[in-house]
Amino acid sequence: MASKLLQKAAAAASPAGAGRAGLAKAADRADPADTPTGLVPLPRAAREGTAAERLAVLEEIIGKAQDNAELTVRQARERFNREAGPALALIHDDDLWSPEYKNFVDYVERRWGYSSTHGYLLVATAKVQTALPEGANANTGHVQVLAPVLRHNGLEAVTEAWSKSEKKNGQPTAATLKTAVETLGYGKPKKAIQGEVLNRTDQAPTTPSSLGQLENAVALAKRHVTRNLVKKALEENPEKARRVAQDFASWATLVTQAAKD
């Protein structure tokens, strides 16, 4: 909207172009009736004073607008997580994605266009959030620390870790949460990855299912065994690297054969 107003103002200026002064005068001549509704009017200081003073006023306005825009995007994302997360978690828990889809990952990718990591993150965020005190909001960093704690130790462990962690600006950071988790004896936190699917929050923590363990193993392999890693290993020790690669290939063959049986 603002850009349209400036375009109109520029069009009203002389063909030779009067620079900044000409643009300001053209804007002043714009018909108020044509001004788009909803624009925030500029203060008088934006049009009076020296060029440096006016620039400072206008840049302060733009800076505040950017801050507000970033805040609005963050608030919208948090609202989306609060609304969509619990729904997606229930779809995951009750296998509501079947029979049309092969699995939960297939569902979130084909139905919503999310990556598997994003789908699992939404589920984990919803479940971690249920353990937090009223008014607290878990961000991605919090969830990556607390998802494994919730899975293996339950809701009370998450609540305790949150309450014991050092707060900054009213809530913990991922770093202070990690410290609290370690201090409380819940093990060294690990980053939540694809396959780190949480159990239902109304049930006691259990050992990860075979499917969950398989997903974790495959996710770790995909993440760490890269073409560059193999290439570097071959450069460092060709003979040993080939043996490791053969072992890895044998493992892959075993998994593929098991899937066919």
Side-chain angles (χ1 to χ4, degrees), residues 120 151 193-197 208-222 251-252 254-256 258-259:
Y120 281 128
R151 175 180 173 183
I193 59 172
Q194 178 180 340
E196 183 69 25
V197 185
S209 67
S210 297
L211 176 58
Q213 293 179 52
L214 179 61
E215 287 179 322
N216 276 338
V218 172
L220 286 170
K222 289 172 63 178
W251 171 80
L254 178 65
V255 173
T256 302

Side-chain angles (χ1 to χ4, degrees), residues 17-18 26 28 34 41 62 76 85-86 88 122 130 156 167 212 233 259:
D28 288 337
D34 293 335
I62 295 172
L88 198 60
L122 282 173
T130 63
E156 292 184 1
K167 308 297 192 297

Side-chain angles (χ1 to χ4, degrees), residues 86-203:
L88 198 60
L90 190 58
I91 290 172
H92 170 270
D93 287 347
D94 291 353
D95 293 339
L96 300 181
W97 41 264
S98 48
E100 185 177 350
Y101 302 91
K102 294 185 296 184
N103 49 42
F104 179 72
V105 171
D106 184 47
Y107 169 74
V108 296
E109 290 179 346
R110 290 173 51 200
R111 178 64 178 85
W112 300 109
Y114 302 155
S115 68
S116 57
T117 300
H118 185 56
Y120 281 128
L121 179 63
L122 282 173
V123 173
T125 299
K127 296 190 175 187
V128 166
Q129 190 68 42
T130 63
L132 303 186
E134 185 176 357
N137 289 308
N139 59 34
T140 301
H142 297 145
V143 174
Q144 288 176 337
V145 175
L146 294 176
V149 175
L150 176 57
R151 175 180 173 183
H152 298 294
N153 301 281
L155 290 170
E156 292 184 1
V158 172
T159 303
E160 186 179 11
W162 186 275
S163 63
K164 296 291 185 182
S165 60
E166 181 182 348
K167 308 297 192 297
K168 293 183 179 180
N169 298 324
Q171 68 175 11
T173 64
T176 60
L177 270 178
K178 288 180 182 179
T179 300
V181 168
E182 293 175 356
T183 302
L184 291 169
Y186 294 128
K188 186 176 180 180
K190 57 183 179 180
K191 183 177 180 180
I193 59 172
Q194 178 180 340
E196 183 69 25
V197 185
L198 305 177
N199 298 313
R200 297 179 59 97
T201 53
D202 57 353
Q203 297 176 349

Side-chain angles (χ1 to χ4, degrees), residues 195-260:
E196 183 69 25
V197 185
L198 305 177
N199 298 313
R200 297 179 59 97
T201 53
D202 57 353
Q203 297 176 349
T206 60
T207 302
S209 67
S210 297
L211 176 58
Q213 293 179 52
L214 179 61
E215 287 179 322
N216 276 338
V218 172
L220 286 170
K222 289 172 63 178
R223 181 179 178 185
H224 294 292
V225 182
T226 64
R227 182 186 297 271
N228 287 336
L229 178 62
V230 175
K231 184 177 180 180
K232 289 181 179 179
L234 286 169
E235 292 173 351
E236 293 174 4
N237 192 326
E239 184 178 350
K240 188 172 182 179
R242 287 192 180 92
R243 286 203 305 268
V244 174
Q246 289 171 356
D247 289 342
F248 192 84
S250 298
W251 171 80
T253 301
L254 178 65
V255 173
T256 302
Q257 186 61 44
K260 293 180 179 179

